[in-house]
């Protein structure tokens, strides 16, 4: 089997700090892969490289064997790599509905029509509504995004990613900051996407227990470096991981 | 939202009709001339708001397009016979020139970070100002030149009606534009350009197209402006023109189309008043000071402008409930 997304010796350096160091990461088509690692391990930075928000210092990124290292984030999204952001990154003065609608609009390739009123695109509106319902945001649809609570903004992030309907979904700590009651609902949304079986999902998560039964495979990053990769069970039993990551997490700095 | 929109349209249509009837009910040459100016600057300010309020682009060089329209019309009517045909031709030439120049300048400058962009637009506009000053054979330099109007435009009432028609038509066209899927992406760019990219839209193209629409619209207002004066000089290219548009937009309400129209009305009216008062005390001649103060007060107390503030009041009810909920939850 061929990986759908793959990096080769991917490196990015900020000044003297190497945030992602020679990472060879790969995910297979329709796989559910999690990335774990302590704070500052370089997980989000890796996503920024995959999504095109950041240019690599060296190394290559391949999508379906095609070299996409120098493509803009616009092109990567259109090719089918969508992502959500850890630091909520929405349109603050637009309503929740408008935020999601923009993503739906992009996915339906409605880019340049400049005369027909937006509300006449019923299909876009229906799809938007559907997604808001899915992530439990439909009561909030006419609220401005900036007025949402943190947890709700996280849901909006996910909604926008789902609305893009890309082949690859890069989810950066989707449940962080959500209230405990909401986490299961959002996890089940992700679980459902997985169950549909036509998506490749990469999920960054801090809390290992949360993703162990969701994931087909887990990659561990530590200090910008690739530490291990394997099934959840393998990772749990891996000694380097135990020492470095788990040890670091429980003995070191609280997250 | 839809309800509010319909009511807004109705309001605009009623006010528009009243304005159409005005010259037949109330005959005042001064008022007609003043209103004509207001309509013309409303067009200019709306075009500016397309950049500032909708797309979040701060341009200090928008007068460039106003001036292109102004000189296209001036020069053509000066050199050719004055007929309806040449007037239309001159409008068209202004539009085409603005189209080409806004595309070129847009692709050159809109990639830049906003403050570099603002500086560059200023530079481009200054370039046009210098050309207009130096190319004396065509422009007669600083002094400018007068030109004849075709018969029917010389009538103030007709010209008033023509300007009003232009303003209303452009208002509705721009309204369609801003409420299209395209317009929605423009607003998203204003809000968070990087995020727009991550959604798969190419912000540069949107910004260039927005500046093309804004530029050609500004050109029309420049043409109408010199038609109303029957005279053109280099003042049409000056920074003051851009600042006027900025002021009108901010006072009226950024990110709306009615705002710039109201802003234009207020500023032009105040202008007129202060000019009258200047005969009483010379301090009123320094109207720019008053506008400066007005500008500062608006930005501090009504950052949303008149229209934005009113709109917030109207939808205020729902908000209070939300705040109540939040306090309970928090
Ligand atoms: N644009 C940047 N400029 C400079 N340093 C950066 C930049 N982005 C990230 N870093 C640094 O790179 C390191 C990795 O950051 P990153 O956000 O990828 O960590 P993370 O694994 O996502 O951590 P967390 O679990 O806290 O989200 C950090 O030390 C961070 O300070
Ligand atoms: Mg992170």
């Amino acid at each position: 089997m061929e990986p759908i997304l793959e990096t080769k010796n991917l490196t990015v350096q900020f000044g003297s700090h190497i945030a992602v160091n020679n990472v060879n990461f790969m995910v297979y088509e329709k796989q559910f892969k999690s990335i774990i690692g302590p704070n500052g391990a370089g997980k989000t930075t890796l996503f920024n490289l995959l999504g095109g928000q950041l240019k690599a210092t060296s190394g290559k990124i391949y999508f379906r064997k095609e070299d996409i290292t120098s493509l803009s984030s616009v092109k990567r999204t259109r090719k089918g790599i969508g992502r959500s952001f850890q630091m909520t990154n929405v349109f603050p003065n637009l309503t929740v509905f408008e935020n999601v609608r923009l993503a739906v609009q992009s996915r339906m390739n409605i880019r340049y029509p400049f005369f027909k009123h937006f509300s006449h695109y019923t299909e876009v509106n229906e799809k938007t509504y559907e997604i808001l319902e899915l992530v439990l945001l439909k009561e909030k649809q006419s609220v401005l995004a900036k007025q949402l609570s943190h947890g709700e903004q996280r849901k909006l992030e996910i909604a926008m990613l789902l609305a893009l309907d890309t082949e690859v979904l890069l989810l950066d700590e989707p449940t962080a900051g959500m209230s405990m009651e909401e986490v299961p609902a959002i996890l089940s949304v992700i679980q459902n996407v997985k169950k549909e079986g036509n998506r490749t999902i990469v999920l960054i998560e801090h809390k290992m227990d949360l993703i162990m039964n969701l994931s087909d495979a887990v990659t561990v990053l530590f200090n910008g470096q690739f530490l291990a990769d394997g099934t959840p069970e393998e990772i749990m039993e891996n000694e380097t991981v135990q020492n470095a990551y788990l040890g670091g997490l429980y003995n070191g700095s609280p997250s | 939202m839809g309800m509010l929109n319909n009511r807004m349209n109705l309001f605009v249509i009623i006010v528009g009709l009243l304005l159409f009837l005005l010259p037949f009910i109330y005959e005042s040459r001064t008022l007609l001339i003043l209103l004509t100016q207001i309509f013309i600057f409303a067009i200019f300010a709306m075009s500016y708001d397309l950049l500032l309020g909708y797309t979040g682009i701060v341009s200090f060089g928008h007068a460039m397009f106003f001036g292109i329209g102004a000189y296209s019309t001036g020069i053509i009517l000066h050199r050719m016979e004055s007929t309806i045909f040449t007037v239309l031709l001159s409008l068209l030439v202004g539009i085409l020139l603005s189209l080409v120049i806004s595309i070129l300048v847009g692709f050159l400058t809109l990639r830049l970070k906003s403050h570099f962009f603002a500086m560059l637009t200023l530079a481009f506009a200054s370039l046009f100002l210098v050309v207009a000053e130096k190319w004396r054979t065509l422009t007669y330099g600083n002094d400018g030149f007068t030109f004849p109007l075709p018969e029917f435009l010389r009538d103030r009432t007709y010209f008033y009606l023509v300007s009003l028609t232009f303003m209303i038509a452009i208002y509705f066209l721009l309204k369609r534009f801003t409420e299209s899927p395209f317009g929605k992406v423009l607003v998203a760019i204003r809000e968070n350009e990087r995020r727009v990219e991550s959604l798969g839209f190419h912000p540069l193209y949107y910004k260039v197209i927005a500046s093309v629409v804004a530029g050609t619209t500004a050109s029309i207002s420049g043409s109408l402006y010199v038609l109303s004066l029957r005279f053109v000089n280099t003042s049409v290219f000056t920074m003051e023109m851009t600042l006027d548009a900025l002021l009108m937009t901010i006072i009226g309400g950024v990110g709306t189309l009615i705002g710039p129209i109201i802003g234009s009305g207020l500023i032009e009216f105040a202008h007129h008043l202060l000019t009258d008062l200047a005969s009483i005390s010379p301090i009123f001649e320094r109207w720019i000071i008053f506008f400066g103060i007005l500008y500062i007060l608006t930005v501090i107390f009504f950052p949303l402008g008149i229209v934005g503030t009113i709109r917030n009041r109207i939808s205020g009810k729902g908000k209070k409930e939300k705040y109540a909920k939040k306090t309970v939850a928090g």
Side-chain angles (χ1 to χ4, degrees):
Chain A
M1 196 161 58
E2 288 293 336
I4 184 168
L5 194 59
E6 186 176 15
T7 74
K8 290 231 167 88
N9 300 321
L10 196 63
T11 301
V12 73
Q13 195 167 353
F14 302 113
S16 63
H17 179 66
I18 303 176
V20 170
N21 193 351
N22 261 311
V23 169
N24 294 309
F25 169 83
M26 65 165 80
V27 55
Y28 293 106
E29 203 169 337
K30 305 195 170 71
Q31 200 178 24
F32 191 116
K33 185 148 205 168
S34 294
I35 300 179
I36 58 171
N39 289 118
K43 306 180 295 292
T44 298
T45 309
L46 178 63
F47 265 21
N48 286 338
L49 291 166
L50 294 176
Q53 282 78 25
L54 202 64
K55 286 259 167 294
T57 313
S58 64
K60 294 274 178 215
I61 306 169
Y62 298 92
F63 179 61
R64 295 191 181 287
K65 284 198 208 155
E66 181 194 350
D67 183 354
I68 59 163
T69 318
S70 54
L71 288 191
S72 65
S73 60
V74 178
K75 293 225 174 87
R76 293 191 203 188
T77 305
R78 292 199 197 169
K79 276 196 181 299
I81 306 172
R83 69 166 294 188
S84 76
F85 293 83
Q86 178 181 11
M87 295 297 174
T88 304
N89 189 357
V90 295
F91 304 110
N93 292 303
L94 300 187
T95 64
V96 168
F97 193 84
E98 285 168 331
N99 267 277
V100 177
R101 192 184 56 215
L102 278 160
V104 175
Q105 197 182 311
S106 173
R107 164 278 196 82
M108 291 188 172
N109 238 321
I110 302 168
R111 298 186 193 284
Y112 294 106
F114 59 87
F115 208 64
K116 197 167 146 187
H117 198 275
F118 67 86
S119 59
H120 295 308
Y121 293 83
T122 34
E123 211 183 324
V124 175
N125 295 334
E126 277 162 18
K127 188 76 206 165
T128 305
Y129 195 74
E130 224 171 81
I131 289 167
L132 286 177
E133 196 153 32
L134 194 67
V135 299
L136 316 175
L137 270 182
K138 74 167 195 272
E139 283 84 24
K140 296 279 176 183
Q141 58 168 315
S142 45
V143 175
L144 295 186
K146 66 175 177 193
Q147 295 168 338
L148 292 179
S149 73
H150 181 68
E152 288 164 345
Q153 290 195 355
R154 303 297 310 142
K155 290 196 274 180
L156 180 55
E157 268 291 337
I158 298 169
M160 287 166 81
L161 175 60
L162 294 179
L164 269 182
D165 204 21
T166 46
E167 244 184 291
V168 177
L169 305 175
L170 306 175
L171 285 152
D172 197 346
E173 302 204 25
T175 60
M178 269 180 212
S179 67
M180 283 307 277
E181 310 90 72
E182 285 176 336
V183 172
I186 294 308
L187 279 183
S188 84
V189 168
I190 295 171
Q191 217 151 12
N192 283 338
V193 177
K194 180 192 170 176
K195 232 183 279 164
E196 279 172 27
N198 48 7
R199 297 275 179 277
T200 308
I201 301 173
V202 185
L203 180 109
I204 293 179
E205 190 50 75
H206 241 109
K207 293 157 258 167
M208 227 174 172
D209 47 324
L210 219 64
I211 43 103
M212 278 310 166
N213 44 21
L214 265 178
S215 315
D216 301 320
V218 179
T219 292
V220 187
L221 287 184
F222 187 72
N223 272 337
Q225 281 171 326
F226 174 91
L227 197 70
D229 187 277
T231 63
E233 293 75 30
E234 283 166 358
I235 293 299
M236 286 294 254
E237 285 154 21
N238 186 314
E239 243 172 71
T240 355
V241 178
Q242 293 275 345
N243 293 339
Y245 175 53
L246 299 178
L249 192 66
Y250 293 120
N251 306 331
S253 59
S255 56
Chain B
M1 197 70 200
M3 276 287 280
L4 206 68
N5 229 333
N6 281 343
R7 251 189 270 161
M8 194 69 164
N9 278 343
L10 199 66
F11 174 76
V12 170
I13 289 167
I14 289 172
V15 172
L17 277 179
L18 288 177
L19 285 171
F20 267 112
L21 294 176
L22 183 78
F24 307 105
I25 302 165
Y26 179 71
E27 243 179 275
S28 156
R29 208 176 126 81
T30 337
L31 183 66
L32 280 196
I33 293 177
L34 178 63
L35 284 174
T36 307
Q37 287 291 304
I38 290 175
F39 302 154
I40 293 170
F41 275 97
I43 297 173
F44 186 43
M46 279 193 282
S47 78
Y48 191 73
D49 197 28
L50 206 54
L51 299 179
L52 181 73
Y54 284 93
T55 322
I57 299 174
V58 181
S59 165
F60 287 138
H62 202 49
M64 179 161 81
F65 301 107
F66 188 81
I68 288 172
Y71 271 99
S72 301
T73 294
I75 290 168
I76 286 177
L77 290 186
H78 184 60
R79 309 236 147 185
M80 294 169 73
E81 220 180 323
S82 250
T83 62
I84 300 293
F85 173 73
T86 47
V87 169
L88 288 178
L89 176 74
S90 77
L91 270 166
L92 202 67
V93 168
I95 290 174
L96 287 178
L97 280 176
S98 299
L99 179 94
V100 173
I101 289 169
S102 59
I103 291 176
L104 290 178
V105 172
F107 272 111
L108 272 175
T109 58
L110 283 166
R111 301 167 189 276
L112 301 174
K113 290 244 159 37
S114 61
H115 42 287
F116 289 121
F117 169 79
M119 290 298 124
L120 254 185
T121 54
L122 185 59
F124 269 105
S126 314
L127 191 71
F128 274 84
L129 179 60
V130 171
V131 170
E133 272 167 9
K134 300 297 172 199
W135 198 349
R136 303 192 66 93
T137 47
L138 202 63
T139 64
Y140 299 89
N142 261 332
D143 304 333
F145 57 90
T146 58
F147 54 86
L149 283 193
E151 190 75 42
F152 100 117
L153 283 181
R154 261 178 254 165
D155 183 319
R156 286 290 169 191
T157 309
Y158 272 130
F159 192 69
Y160 167 93
L161 293 174
V162 168
S163 307
L164 177 60
T165 311
F166 264 102
M167 180 185 78
I168 292 178
I170 286 174
Y171 168 80
F172 279 110
L173 284 174
L174 289 182
K175 199 164 154 64
R176 290 304 291 258
F177 182 68
T178 54
E179 286 173 358
S180 67
F182 187 97
K184 292 293 156 188
V185 178
L186 289 186
V187 176
I189 290 174
R190 175 193 77 195
E191 289 290 306
N192 187 345
E193 185 170 340
R194 293 297 302 269
R195 183 55 160 157
V196 171
E197 282 177 23
S198 302
L199 288 184
F201 297 105
H202 216 309
L204 180 64
Y205 298 157
Y206 287 85
K207 292 201 282 187
V208 169
I209 294 172
S211 76
V212 167
V213 175
T216 49
T217 309
S219 164
I220 295 174
S221 63
S223 291
L224 291 173
Y225 179 67
V226 295
L227 283 174
S228 78
L229 298 179
R230 304 170 196 185
F231 167 75
V232 57
N233 72 358
T234 50
S235 70
V236 291
F237 275 125
T238 55
M239 178 78 180
E240 267 163 48
M241 281 293 169
T242 308
L243 287 182
D244 269 351
L246 178 75
L247 194 62
M248 290 167 182
T249 308
I250 290 192
I251 287 178
V254 287
T256 66
L257 290 171
I258 283 291
I261 297 178
I262 292 174
S264 164
L266 280 177
I267 296 293
E268 286 300 313
F269 191 71
H271 213 308
H272 182 76
L273 212 65
L274 290 172
T275 319
D276 278 355
L277 287 174
S279 56
I280 302 169
S281 159
I283 195 192
F284 292 110
E285 265 170 35
R286 306 265 132 241
W287 51 268
I288 195 92
I289 298 174
F290 288 95
F291 287 177
I293 294 168
L294 187 60
Y295 175 80
I296 292 167
L297 292 179
T298 312
V299 170
I300 294 176
F301 295 109
F302 303 102
L304 297 173
I306 294 169
V307 174
T309 309
I310 293 173
R311 193 182 274 174
N312 260 10
R313 287 274 157 79
I314 291 176
S315 59
K317 273 185 231 149
K319 215 170 266 166
K320 258 177 221 148
E321 273 166 39
K322 241 169 274 144
Y323 281 132
K325 250 187 226 158
K326 247 188 203 156
T327 22
V328 170

